[in-house]
Amino acid sequence: NAGVTQTPKFQVLKTGQSMTLQCAQDMNHEYMSWYRQDPGMGLRLIHYSVGAGITDQGEVPNGYNVSRSTTEDFPLRLLSAAPSQTSVYFCASSQGLTKNIQYFGAGTRLSVL
Amino acid sequence: GQQLNQSPQSMFIQEGEDVSMNCTSSSIFNTWLWYKQDPGEGPVLLIALYKAGELTSNGRLTAQFGITRKDSFLNISASIPSDVGIYFCAGQSQTSGTYKYIFGTGTRLKVLA
């Protein structure tokens, strides 16, 4: 019963460094998303994917890249980290359009110094 | 970006009291979800609503899909200390896309024993 697994749980980066946040789901869900959570802002959609090989931008995509080579994995890449990207990042997956319920991972807490 | 208006932002209540929170939107939604987030964890789904006027319960929790399709309410009866956390609403509409959800900014609940 792993569900949605995110790694790492915590990360500290220096400005300009790059890294990849990993997300994997074992529920055979077609849809996967990345959100960031900032105080007082709720959850904001960064990128999403409706299936392997298909990705699209959400509300706040700048500074982030994604790819979806398999159904299970949906990594989020920060190419050149900035302090404004300090946040908590959540990955979510859902099975489809009908009764589309999103299941979330435990989050990655990222600090950019 | 578009976000839901969720209120109250925070509340302190005594153990045993009932709690009410709500979300409103300028858009018509076809799905409402209510999540709870514990410290250091990802959001966990509490209740899903799919039809205007729908009233659904999950233990001490009851949520309703507003008749206008622009609002939803969550009630918690006889609160207990483990109800502490942040509660989020999320809405899905035709204008947000067939997959994307819009999240409220959260209601932070603290229960005093």
Side-chain angles (χ1 to χ4, degrees):
Chain A
N1 287 349
V4 180
T5 303
Q6 290 184 238
T7 57
K9 289 189 179 297
F10 302 94
Q11 184 70 49
V12 179
L13 294 177
K14 294 181 180 179
T15 297
Q17 286 185 317
S18 63
M19 80 159 295
T20 299
L21 280 63
Q22 301 292 343
C23 176
Q25 54 92 7
D26 61 0
M27 297 175 282
N28 201 32
H29 285 173
E30 287 296 317
Y31 302 130
M32 297 185 74
S33 305
W34 276 102
Y35 294 86
R36 59 177 289 171
Q37 184 177 33
D38 300 296
M41 298 293 291
L43 290 157
R44 292 185 293 170
L45 183 64
I46 304 171
H47 285 285
Y48 66 99
S49 168
V50 299
I54 306 169
T55 63
D56 205 347
Q57 295 181 348
E59 179 186 355
V60 288
N62 293 340
Y64 307 95
N65 279 354
V66 293
S67 60
R68 184 95 179 271
S69 57
T70 66
T71 299
E72 294 78 19
D73 300 301
F74 190 43
L76 179 72
R77 298 183 185 85
L78 283 69
L79 300 178
S80 179
S84 61
Q85 293 179 305
T86 294
S87 188
V88 182
Y89 291 86
F90 288 101
C91 178
S93 74
S94 61
Q95 62 185 27
L97 292 177
T98 303
K99 298 194 173 182
N100 181 21
I101 296 173
Q102 295 194 354
Y103 297 91
F104 286 84
T108 294
R109 283 141 189 84
L110 175 67
S111 293
V112 183
L113 306 178
Chain B
Q2 183 181 5
Q3 287 194 322
L4 299 178
N5 295 316
Q6 186 171 349
S7 64
Q9 287 188 338
S10 64
M11 54 195 315
F12 287 83
I13 61 169
Q14 292 287 336
E15 183 177 359
E17 288 184 344
D18 296 343
V19 176
S20 292
M21 60 192 77
N22 69 83
C23 282
T24 60
S25 170
S26 57
S27 303
I28 292 175
F29 286 151
N30 49 37
T31 302
W32 283 97
L33 304 179
W34 283 94
Y35 288 88
K36 183 192 177 195
Q37 184 179 25
D38 291 324
E41 300 293 331
V44 174
L45 182 71
L46 298 174
I47 292 178
L49 303 163
Y50 302 105
K51 295 190 300 184
E54 180 179 355
L55 185 70
T56 298
S57 293
N58 178 8
R60 293 179 296 106
L61 279 62
T62 301
Q64 185 164 23
F65 195 141
I67 291 293
T68 65
R69 298 173 64 190
K70 293 183 178 181
D71 56 6
S72 180
F73 304 87
L74 176 69
N75 297 316
I76 305 173
S77 63
S79 59
I80 59 178
S82 62
D83 290 335
V84 165
I86 304 176
Y87 293 79
F88 289 100
C89 62
Q92 185 182 53
S93 71
Q94 292 299 323
T95 57
S96 72
T98 54
Y99 168 66
K100 290 182 281 186
Y101 275 94
I102 301 167
F103 283 79
T105 52
T107 294
R108 187 179 299 273
L109 179 64
K110 297 187 180 181
V111 179
L112 305 175

